Amino acid sequence: MDARQMREIPIADFLNVMGIHPSKQRGNVLWYSSPYRTERTPSFKVDTAKNVWFDFGIGKGGDIFDLAGEFIGSGDFLLRAAFIAKSGTCPLPIMKQAQRNEEKEAVFEDIWVRPLQDAKLLGYLKERGIDTDIAIPNCEEVRYRVHGKRYYAIGFRNDAGGMELRNRFFKGCIPPKDISLKRNGSDGCAIFEGFIDYLSAMQMGIIASDWLVLNSVSNVEKAVKVLQDYERIECYLDNDEAGRRTFQRLRNSFRDKVIDRSSLYADHKDLNDYLLFQRQV
């Protein structure tokens, strides 16, 4: 699929596969609550005949690439194309002699945090198999501004005071980046790559020890420094090359104290994928 064909993807289908549905329809016009910002009254319009959109709240509109740019806050064409492809509506386009511009690091402004209560965020976690009684005590709701636009996400605190962020469309971090460690006085510690897997373990009731979320496999050296006193280190890491390398790094430092628990979900990419599979059985 080339860029021209990608541009012809119905915007309504693009939104639908991301779980975004219209509030009302009048002829060829669909009305939505803006999918990338919060609002009370739907002011986001999609003309299905012309395959264009317009957001009256910000006074902007355009084609599917313009819409992808609003979701990710970027004017980079390849990043926008990748976002469209990631939605599942199509494969990546074949680009000739394309050059990617350097992306500026996101600057988070006007940040405020409150208990997790937004229905869309809780709904997203519900889709990942996480019930509200697990999500609310462990996560927070974070609202912030990037490039002048207001966004919101599920927040998970790390030990340096940063916040891991996640919503249906975005995965990132309000710096600084760090591990998240919870000590409960146990001689064992369960290790997870990300907080969704940690929440999955809580949902499944398989944690009976201290726990540590890496928040990125690049934080494994930080984890090594705080795991010295544990007698048992149980790894619930992803079933991919990065997960295997991380397990081996821990095994090199702590030898037989490190236990690989990935056999529990051997046919799945990670613990959350296994949780969703179990809920379908």
Side-chain angles (χ1 to χ4, degrees):
M1 176 175 285
D2 59 24
R4 178 189 59 79
Q5 293 170 317
M6 183 175 276
R7 188 170 277 109
E8 293 174 355
I9 295 170
I11 291 174
D13 291 351
F14 172 56
L15 294 172
N16 184 64
V17 298
M18 292 190 289
I20 302 169
H21 308 292
S23 300
K24 57 184 177 180
Q25 178 173 2
R26 292 179 180 174
N28 294 326
V29 175
L30 304 177
W31 288 93
Y32 300 78
S33 294
S34 181
Y36 46 75
R37 60 182 181 83
T38 55
E39 63 177 1
R40 294 182 178 178
T41 303
S43 65
F44 183 92
K45 179 180 76 171
V46 174
D47 187 321
T48 58
K50 298 179 180 178
N51 200 31
V52 295
W53 62 277
F54 191 83
D55 188 343
F56 287 89
I58 62 174
K60 295 176 66 176
D63 63 15
I64 192 170
F65 286 103
D66 298 313
L67 179 55
E70 293 302 313
F71 273 113
I72 64 176
S74 173
D76 185 293
F77 181 81
L78 289 184
L79 289 179
R80 289 183 288 172
F83 179 80
I84 296 168
K86 189 177 180 181
S87 73
T89 50
C90 66
L92 275 168
I94 299 173
M95 304 300 298
K96 296 182 179 180
Q97 296 180 340
Q99 293 183 348
R100 174 174 168 175
N101 296 327
E102 283 296 318
E103 282 294 296
K104 294 182 179 179
E105 185 176 351
V107 177
F108 296 89
E109 301 175 320
D110 192 17
I111 302 167
W112 57 277
V113 181
R114 70 178 184 182
L116 180 58
Q117 56 187 273
D118 182 85
K120 289 184 178 179
L121 296 179
L122 289 170
Y124 166 68
L125 288 175
K126 191 72 173 179
E127 292 173 9
R128 302 295 298 267
I130 311 300
D131 294 336
T132 56
D133 62 327
I134 298 296
I136 291 176
N138 288 282
C139 303
E140 295 171 276
E141 184 176 322
V142 185
R143 301 204 170 229
Y144 54 93
R145 194 181 301 277
V146 176
H147 302 311
K149 297 173 186 173
R150 172 63 66 179
Y151 299 94
Y152 63 108
I154 301 153
F156 185 78
R157 291 187 182 271
N158 64 43
D159 288 1
M163 298 284 289
E164 303 301 317
L165 301 178
R166 179 72 67 88
N167 61 32
R168 195 185 305 277
F169 314 108
F170 174 73
K171 179 181 179 180
C173 174
I174 297 176
K177 189 83 171 175
D178 202 357
I179 61 173
S180 302
L181 172 64
K182 177 66 172 179
R183 296 186 186 274
N184 300 308
S186 173
D187 62 355
C189 188
I191 311 295
F192 306 92
E193 286 190 32
F195 75 85
I196 295 295
D197 285 330
Y198 157 68
L199 295 176
S200 300
M202 292 290 290
Q203 184 71 47
M204 298 168 70
I206 62 176
I207 300 181
S209 64
D210 294 5
W211 53 262
L212 184 151
V213 179
L214 292 169
N215 294 316
S216 170
V217 293
S218 64
N219 284 332
V220 65
E221 298 304 326
K222 296 179 181 178
V224 168
K225 293 179 180 178
V226 301
L227 292 171
Q228 303 292 334
D229 296 331
Y230 286 105
E231 293 300 318
R232 186 179 69 260
I233 300 169
E234 302 180 78
C235 294
Y236 296 87
L237 303 172
D238 291 1
N239 282 318
D240 58 14
E241 183 59 31
R244 287 187 286 272
R245 286 199 308 269
T246 303
F247 172 79
Q248 192 58 52
R249 174 65 186 91
L250 294 171
R251 195 67 184 266
N252 290 343
S253 292
F254 303 110
R255 304 299 177 186
D256 292 341
K257 291 182 179 181
V258 180
I259 305 167
D260 185 1
R261 295 300 189 193
S262 64
S263 60
L264 172 67
Y265 46 97
D267 297 327
H268 303 272
K269 64 179 182 179
D270 56 31
L271 193 59
N272 182 247
D273 189 45
Y274 176 67
L275 169 63
L276 293 176
F277 171 77
Q278 288 293 309
R279 292 203 154 193
Q280 294 172 359
V281 173

